[in-house]
Amino acid sequence: MTMTVEPAGGRPPTTAPVAAAPEARTRDRFLDVVRLFVMVLVVVQHWWLPVLSVQVQGELSAGSVLSSDGGFALTWISQVMPLIFFVGGAANFFSWRAASRRGEPARVWWAKRLRRLAWPVVPLAVVWIVSCHLIVLGGAPAQPVLVGAGAAGMVLWFLASYVIVVMATPILVAAQERFGWWVPAALLAGAVIVDTVRFSSGVEWLGFLNVAFVWLGVHQMGFRYATGSIGKAQAAWLAGVGGVAALVLAWFGPYSLNMTGVFAAETSNVSPPTLVLAALGALQIGVSVLLRDRISAWVDRPGPARMMDRISPQLMTVYLWHMVPVSVIAGVLVFGLGIDTPEPMTGLWLLWGVLGVVVLIPLILPLAHWAVRFEEPPRMLKGDPGLIRVLAAAALIGGGLLVLTVGGLGFGPLPVIGLIAVISGLLLTAAPRTRVRETVREALRA
């Protein structure tokens, strides 16, 4: 996903490079650095937080560092997904504004974004599903294979949630242009109401309504950044109020101290997302913007700029595919060599984490370089699908990604059902054949 900074609403961003002319674009590498930071921490925590061991019966036990004393403190650093929704908000804002200036209707913009979002999942799911079947047919025990496949599917929760923010973007951009800061305030109020009702009634499923309120609220802050509405003063307020609110709510409120739930048995603030996570997101956004000038000064140098221009297009590919080498290395160590994860929060555990990351980097980078070819949707997925088809496509893609998140990428009916739903949704994003033929005929007549 390429980040560009464009003047919005006739007013250039005060926290981003200002273009020389209204039509000009300047690459905002600050956002690229934020995305890189997020992806690095995601990979590190997916290696470092699980606690793996082989039981007497040959099954893989997958616990979590978060279950150990003080483990929750790590999650206040490792939970950085609010930042990726913030960056995504800026990207969607720039993209939608550019499409609007071209006269592109929302249904066409939705179709393009859905294709770019969902298509990379198809080869990933096929590789995992086929590989899991072949590995088990080759004699490997099914249970540990399913653990790895389940972990690979869990990373797709982000894409399932992102379908919501993509579909909401045109509406929320229009709302922001009219109501400004009242829009994130209203979304925050929605999160407050959901948490209040959830914890007072004990109806846990109500919390999942915050998938919309919390993530849309953080996403909306990306809109505010894109319009230059988050200067240093606003960033300081976000950091201060967000940090204090997160600490007070987590310590004194009915919330978990865990900000993420990688293999954790207990509840966390991410599934479902809570008000604490929204406060942490405000803290992270505020601190990031306060550091923006220093980050930009570094990344705009020729060397770092070339590095980021090369790495940035592959970051989402890294996110999707990194569980392949993570699972392979864990399988070799735990099953092949009989080495269990060391006792958490010890010196040996720290060494395990560092050495694991050192081994993973030379495996992940070439894999991402190969798999980045799947970022571009096939040519058959193009054109104007119409409003009904694109809404149906969003429902199928979002539902399919959710099924893959819950069911994993292993074997059984759920992975197949999820993959079929995603593929069906992708096909619906293409223009109907009759419309394509009519367009060709009109072009020939002209």
Side-chain angles (χ1 to χ4, degrees), residues 46 50 85 124 131 144 158 167 178 251 266 386 419 435:
H46 285 170
F85 279 93
L124 174 77
S131 298
F158 163 69
M167 299 304 292
R178 183 170 183 180
W251 195 259
E266 62 179 276
L419 180 57
R435 184 172 298 167

Side-chain angles (χ1 to χ4, degrees), residues 153-170:
M154 282 192 297
V155 303
L156 299 180
W157 75 264
F158 163 69
L159 298 183
S161 300
Y162 206 74
V163 170
I164 298 173
V165 301
V166 165
M167 299 304 292
T169 290

Side-chain angles (χ1 to χ4, degrees), residues 106-144:
R107 63 182 184 272
V108 174
W109 184 82
W110 280 330
K112 291 179 179 178
R113 302 301 272 187
L114 288 172
R115 293 167 197 151
R116 294 298 300 267
L117 182 72
W119 170 248
V121 176
V122 175
L124 174 77
V126 170
V127 167
W128 268 101
I129 293 171
V130 172
S131 298
C132 287
H133 281 82
L134 292 177
I135 291 171
V136 172
L137 288 174
Q143 188 268 345

Side-chain angles (χ1 to χ4, degrees), residues 114 167 386-398 421 424-425 428-429:
L114 288 172
M167 299 304 292
L387 181 60
I388 301 302
R389 284 172 62 97
V390 80
L391 293 177
L396 282 169
I397 289 171
S424 300
L428 284 177
T429 66

Side-chain angles (χ1 to χ4, degrees), residues 1-17:
M1 185 185 295
T2 300
M3 295 294 174
T4 57
V5 173
E6 304 173 359
R11 171 167 155 246
T14 58
T15 59

Side-chain angles (χ1 to χ4, degrees), residues 144-301:
V145 173
L146 282 177
V147 171
M154 282 192 297
V155 303
L156 299 180
W157 75 264
F158 163 69
L159 298 183
S161 300
Y162 206 74
V163 170
I164 298 173
V165 301
V166 165
M167 299 304 292
T169 290
I171 299 170
L172 290 181
V173 167
Q176 177 192 248
E177 291 173 346
R178 183 170 183 180
F179 301 109
W181 281 102
W182 287 107
V183 181
L187 292 168
L188 178 64
V192 172
I193 293 171
V194 168
D195 275 8
T196 301
V197 175
R198 171 194 171 190
F199 289 112
S200 61
S201 67
V203 182
E204 288 296 311
W205 65 264
L206 287 173
F208 286 96
L209 295 174
N210 271 343
V211 170
F213 289 117
V214 170
W215 294 131
L216 284 174
V218 179
H219 186 257
Q220 196 77 16
M221 299 305 293
F223 292 1
R224 302 306 295 160
Y225 169 84
T227 57
S229 301
I230 304 180
K232 290 188 176 180
Q234 292 84 357
W237 273 101
L238 285 171
V241 174
V244 171
L247 289 171
V248 170
L249 288 170
W251 195 259
F252 296 104
Y255 299 97
S256 168
L257 291 173
N258 281 343
M259 300 306 297
T260 187
V262 180
F263 286 103
E266 62 179 276
T267 58
S268 72
N269 286 292
V270 71
S271 183
T274 68
L275 192 59
V276 177
L277 190 59
L280 181 66
L283 168 64
Q284 293 172 346
I285 293 167
V287 171
S288 298
V289 176
L290 287 174
L291 295 175
R292 185 191 183 284
D293 289 344
R294 293 186 179 183
I295 294 172
S296 297
W298 172 78
V299 78
D300 284 337
R301 296 175 182 176

Side-chain angles (χ1 to χ4, degrees), residues 262-353:
V262 180
F263 286 103
E266 62 179 276
T267 58
S268 72
N269 286 292
V270 71
S271 183
T274 68
L275 192 59
V276 177
L277 190 59
L280 181 66
L283 168 64
Q284 293 172 346
I285 293 167
V287 171
S288 298
V289 176
L290 287 174
L291 295 175
R292 185 191 183 284
D293 289 344
R294 293 186 179 183
I295 294 172
S296 297
W298 172 78
V299 78
D300 284 337
R301 296 175 182 176
R306 285 194 298 270
M307 178 191 72
M308 291 306 304
D309 290 346
R310 181 178 178 83
I311 292 175
S312 293
Q314 301 182 23
L315 289 178
M316 187 51 63
T317 305
V318 169
Y319 178 80
L320 290 176
W321 288 84
H322 75 275
M323 287 305 299
V324 173
V326 166
S327 299
V328 170
I329 296 301
V332 170
L333 290 175
V334 177
F335 273 93
L337 301 178
I339 303 174
D340 295 342
T341 303
E343 183 67 26
M345 314 301 285
T346 63
L348 191 58
W349 172 76
L350 290 173
L351 181 63
W352 162 277

